Amino acid sequence: MRWYGSKFDTVTLKQIRQVAGVTGVITTLYDMPAGEKWTREAIQQMKSEVNASGLHISGIESVNVHEDIKTGSRSRDKYIENYIETLENLGKEDIHLVCYNFMPVFDWTRSELARMRDDGSTVLAYNQADIDKIVPEEMFASIADDMNGTVMPGWEPERMAKVKELFEEYKDIDEEKLFGNLKYFLKAIMPVCNKYDIKMAIHPDDPAWSVFGLPRIIINKKNILRMMNMVNDVHNGVTFCSGSYGTNRENDLPDMIRSLKGRIHFAHVRNLRFNSDSDFEEAAHLSSDGSFDMYEIMKALYDTGFSGPIRPDHGRMIWDESAMPGYGLYDRALGASYLNGLWEAIKKNNKTI
């Protein structure tokens, strides 16, 4: 399960440790600004806290990429050097998986953080018509009241204060330039990834189309294959997030998984319910509660020999819990149990064939 650290998360390591089948966490130095170097001491402290709970660190989500790297500005090499040193320090501390994204400005976009469902739970939701009415600089203000007093990843107040400046930086950046900047970054970090066996797992853009006119490239099978082929190294891989790729209903999720065999290093498995092609909301992980066949997604991972960490993703807010939207304890624990059940059934069924 994802854990944001004891200073930021309402969910504790003790609680996560009690979820059957969960043995590790995906975590990060949540208060570390993008572009700054992670020291070994800070990594050791994070690792010691997790280990003391009886869990282990399965990977890092995220070591954020500075916007100057994404835009290809003249200062990008400085931030890439910091990133390389961070990866080296993680490798020395026996951490070998890093999830990251290359999304301009916004890490993810939702129009609502607490849409009420018929069962009384609340969920993250997206409605294109509502997004179209929002001025980008006012995006944070439109959802701030629904954060339950937490600071959500990608929506830190100091970051949102610079939205107008960031949009200016991207005015001449199209998809081709963004692909070129991603290639430059990946070629620079692959040597340290090979040295320490660090698997870089790029997270898809969420939703999987342009928002506010910003370019988005990690959105479909064609683009992911292009990304892997332009830096053809096993350490250049993906985080397969069913909920992010699944926002585009043209994406065949099980087929994508099979096409990426050997290069999926990390999986976020969650469900969405579509009310229309431009309006969707997070659902319980159960197939029947949403629009995805969760069995087929898990089976595709199993059939391709996937052996990395799988975590439940955005959960509903249920049972009167107040937590970071999408990251409460209860529904994610139910999701973890459901995914473990699917995996056990697939594994046992495979043995009888």
Side-chain angles (χ1 to χ4, degrees):
M1 291 178 70
R2 190 174 188 179
W3 183 65
Y4 288 96
S6 53
K7 292 192 295 183
F8 303 100
D9 209 319
T10 59
V11 179
T12 67
L13 289 171
K14 179 180 179 181
Q15 291 170 323
I16 293 173
R17 179 69 177 85
Q18 294 171 19
V19 180
V22 175
T23 59
V25 294
I26 300 293
T27 190
T28 187
L29 296 178
Y30 191 37
D31 54 353
M32 184 68 71
E36 288 199 16
K37 187 193 315 178
W38 291 24
T39 66
R40 282 194 72 178
E41 292 74 20
I43 296 168
Q44 288 168 351
Q45 184 176 358
M46 172 180 63
K47 186 177 174 181
S48 295
E49 183 178 9
V50 172
N51 290 349
S53 73
L55 297 163
H56 68 275
I57 294 178
S58 300
I60 299 297
E61 184 180 350
S62 300
V63 179
N64 291 319
V65 179
H66 196 277
E67 296 293 339
D68 286 4
I69 298 175
K70 298 176 189 177
T71 60
S73 78
R74 284 182 291 182
S75 61
R76 66 177 170 182
D77 289 337
K78 174 183 70 174
Y79 292 114
I80 290 175
E81 283 303 314
N82 285 351
Y83 207 99
I84 289 170
E85 288 192 47
T86 294
L87 293 177
E88 185 168 29
N89 287 336
L90 286 168
K92 289 177 179 177
E93 292 303 322
D94 201 28
I95 296 173
H96 303 284
L97 171 68
V98 172
C99 174
Y100 71 104
N101 75 71
F102 220 72
M103 285 181 258
V105 185
F106 299 111
D107 282 5
W108 52 271
T109 307
R110 293 291 184 272
S111 56
E112 300 168 71
L113 300 185
R115 178 183 288 182
M116 183 71 73
R117 302 185 79 207
D118 292 341
D119 60 8
S121 64
T122 60
V123 294
L124 304 170
Y126 184 97
N127 180 280
Q128 188 63 54
D130 291 338
I131 292 293
D132 290 342
K133 297 173 186 175
I134 297 173
V135 177
E137 297 94 302
E138 298 173 0
M139 187 71 187
F140 178 79
S142 72
I143 62 173
D145 290 342
D146 292 328
M147 290 186 178
N148 295 327
T150 64
V151 178
M152 298 193 68
W155 293 88
E156 299 82 2
E158 62 276 10
R159 177 184 175 83
M160 292 300 99
K162 300 178 180 178
V163 166
K164 192 170 184 177
E165 297 172 28
L166 289 172
F167 267 79
E168 184 66 21
E169 291 176 20
Y170 280 95
K171 67 179 181 179
D172 296 322
I173 305 295
D174 59 13
E175 290 186 4
E176 285 303 310
K177 288 182 179 178
L178 195 59
F179 259 119
N181 294 339
L182 175 58
K183 181 178 181 179
Y184 185 94
F185 168 69
L186 287 171
K187 288 179 72 70
I189 67 172
M190 279 301 106
V192 72
C193 292
N194 279 284
K195 181 178 179 180
Y196 291 99
D197 190 27
I198 296 175
K199 295 179 173 64
M200 297 297 297
I202 194 167
H203 189 283
D205 301 347
D206 189 358
W209 56 76
S210 174
V211 178
F212 300 126
L214 294 166
R216 290 196 162 189
I217 56 177
I218 309 302
I219 57 174
N220 55 30
K221 175 179 171 180
K222 175 184 175 183
N223 285 16
I224 279 292
L225 291 175
R226 175 181 175 180
M227 185 276 299
M228 293 195 304
N229 288 332
M230 71 186 187
V231 181
N232 193 12
D233 188 304
V234 69
H235 295 97
N236 173 30
V238 304
T239 294
F240 192 88
C241 179
S242 61
S244 296
Y245 284 125
T247 58
N248 184 339
R249 303 187 79 173
E250 294 182 2
N251 285 333
D252 182 331
L253 302 178
D255 172 70
M256 289 179 72
I257 291 170
R258 291 185 168 90
S259 299
L260 303 173
K261 181 178 180 180
R263 299 288 281 274
I264 297 176
H265 300 319
F266 181 28
H268 297 175
V269 181
R270 60 180 167 93
N271 204 353
L272 296 179
R273 176 190 289 177
F274 283 88
N275 301 307
S276 72
D277 286 346
S278 60
D279 184 292
F280 61 82
E281 59 193 47
E282 311 289 356
H285 287 73
L286 191 72
S287 293
S288 60
D289 194 57
S291 301
F292 300 159
D293 188 330
M294 304 296 280
Y295 175 88
E296 289 299 331
I297 290 170
M298 292 292 281
K299 188 174 186 301
L301 288 169
Y302 182 88
D303 289 347
T304 54
F306 176 77
S307 59
I310 299 174
R311 72 165 178 83
D313 208 359
H314 305 163
R316 303 166 298 150
M317 206 59 64
I318 62 174
W319 302 338
D320 300 318
E321 185 176 20
S322 180
M324 184 185 295
Y327 287 99
L329 171 66
Y330 305 138
D331 202 42
R332 286 192 300 151
L334 293 175
S337 296
Y338 176 63
L339 297 178
N340 269 317
L342 285 177
W343 193 265
E344 180 180 348
I346 293 165
K347 185 175 182 180
K348 288 183 175 179
N349 185 60
N350 191 67
K351 288 181 178 178
T352 61
I353 296 175

